[in-house]
């Protein structure tokens, strides 16, 4: 393997609780039922697709204009919550794996659905660390479409068969496989029936590549 492409939320850092807080505030205001189980379905899913999942529990329909306003409101809350993050939000297993892979000369990239990737990388002290960053700002199709990972491989100038994707979401594993990548699944993604390597955390990742 010449390259490793990391998902961000749920792999490099854990912003899912912040996404939950922000969506919950917005859903409560609209009187729409929302819980952590529904939040789990939002992993790796784009902002607008996440909103569609939340609106499944609404008792009325929303215009495109209203949906845009709701998504913007959620994002403003989420972005202010991101300000509470710091380098401390990077686990030892993550920092250790990144450093060993760097020493081994591997190309390292981000492949995230988030449009807030840049801000998150800044907050956790990884701004400028990766050789390529492919995120929600450069894609038109959300995971399980492989676009975000294919763009990352293109930026690194590597073939998908020479790169491995690390994911926490089922939709992310589907995306990696659809793009012709091998993949590592952590968390829920470790239970995906077709995941190449299921792992508990990133400690053993350097041994695989
Ligand atoms: P934003 P990932 C994903 O990031 C999150 O898992 C998902 O919950 C979120 O809706 C999506 O980013 C979009 O995020 O609203 O910041 O653009 O797991 O692909 O790194
Ligand atoms: Mg994720």
């Amino acid at each position: 393997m010449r390259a490793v492409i990391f998902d961000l939320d749920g792999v490099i850092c854990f912003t899912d609780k912040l996404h939950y807080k922000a969506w919950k505030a917005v859903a409560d205001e609209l009187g729409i039922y929302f819980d952590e189980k529904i939040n789990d379905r939002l992993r790796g899913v784009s902002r607008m697709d996440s909103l569609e999942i939340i609106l499944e529990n609404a008792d009325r329909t929303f215009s495109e204009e209203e949906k845009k306003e709701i998504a913007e409101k959620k994002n403003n809350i989420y972005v202010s919550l991101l300000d509470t993050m710091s380098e401390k939000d990077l686990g030892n297993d993550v920092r250790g794996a990144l450093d060993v892979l760097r020493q081994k000369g591997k190309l390292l990239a981000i492949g995230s659905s988030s449009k807030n990737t840049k801000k998150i990388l800044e907050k956790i002290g990884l701004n400028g660390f990766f050789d390529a960053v492919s995120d929600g700002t450069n894609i038109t199709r959300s995971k399980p479409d492989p676009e975000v990972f294919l763009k990352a491989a293109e930026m690194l100038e590597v073939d998908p068969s020479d790169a491995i994707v690390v994911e926490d979401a089922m939709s992310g594993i589907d995306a990696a496989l659809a793009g012709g990548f091998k993949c590592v699944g952590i968390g829920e993604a470790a239970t995906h029936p077709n995941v190449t390597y299921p792992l508990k955390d990133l400690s053993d990742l350097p041994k695989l590549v």
Side-chain angles (χ1 to χ4, degrees):
M1 288 294 145
R2 291 180 55 212
V4 187
I5 304 171
F6 294 88
D7 170 55
L8 183 61
D9 292 333
V11 170
I12 297 289
C13 60
F14 297 89
T15 48
D16 48 352
K17 283 199 176 68
L18 307 184
H19 277 294
Y20 176 70
K21 268 193 192 169
W23 280 127
K24 180 76 178 148
V26 164
D28 282 354
E29 198 181 304
L30 291 165
I32 298 172
Y33 180 76
F34 181 61
D35 63 17
E36 301 218 12
K37 205 160 170 245
I38 303 171
N39 194 57
D40 281 342
R41 288 175 59 203
L42 312 184
R43 283 178 209 285
V45 176
S46 72
R47 196 180 307 162
M48 293 314 282
D49 290 348
S50 296
L51 177 59
E52 292 298 339
I53 292 173
I54 288 163
L55 294 183
E56 284 172 11
N57 285 305
D59 51 16
R60 70 170 178 96
T61 55
F62 289 80
S63 68
E64 288 310 310
E65 195 57 33
E66 283 177 306
K67 286 181 193 174
K68 258 200 209 152
E69 273 171 32
I70 299 168
E72 201 180 313
K73 194 177 246 184
K74 180 266 173 179
N75 192 54
N76 289 339
I77 301 171
Y78 176 64
V79 167
S80 62
L81 291 171
L82 286 179
D83 280 327
T84 62
M85 291 187 84
S86 69
E87 292 181 22
K88 287 191 200 116
D89 289 291
L90 202 61
N92 284 340
D93 59 313
V94 178
R95 186 76 247 187
L98 291 175
D99 290 342
V100 176
L101 289 166
R102 193 40 103 217
Q103 280 159 23
K104 283 179 130 186
K106 303 295 172 187
L107 290 167
L108 307 177
I110 289 288
S112 168
S113 303
S114 178
K115 291 188 167 145
N116 293 300
T117 294
K118 218 171 161 220
K119 173 158 181 136
I120 297 169
L121 290 177
E122 269 164 23
K123 295 302 295 182
I124 60 178
L126 287 178
N127 190 24
F129 177 85
F130 291 94
D131 302 299
V133 175
S134 174
D135 64 21
T137 63
N138 64 256
I139 54 168
T140 53
R141 296 178 303 277
S142 181
K143 301 168 190 175
D145 189 285
E147 185 181 13
V148 73
F149 298 135
L150 291 173
K151 288 255 167 76
E154 205 179 294
M155 290 174 191
L156 294 175
E157 298 182 359
V158 297
D159 192 80
S161 60
D162 273 333
I164 192 160
V165 167
V166 188
E167 259 292 346
D168 70 309
M170 294 301 211
S171 60
I173 297 293
D174 288 333
L177 295 171
F181 297 89
K182 285 204 170 62
C183 53
V184 166
I186 62 167
E188 191 194 14
T191 67
H192 190 291
N194 299 323
V195 68
T196 325
Y197 305 107
L199 285 185
K200 190 170 61 61
D201 57 35
L202 299 193
S203 318
D204 287 334
L205 176 66
K207 290 183 205 154
L208 300 175
V209 289

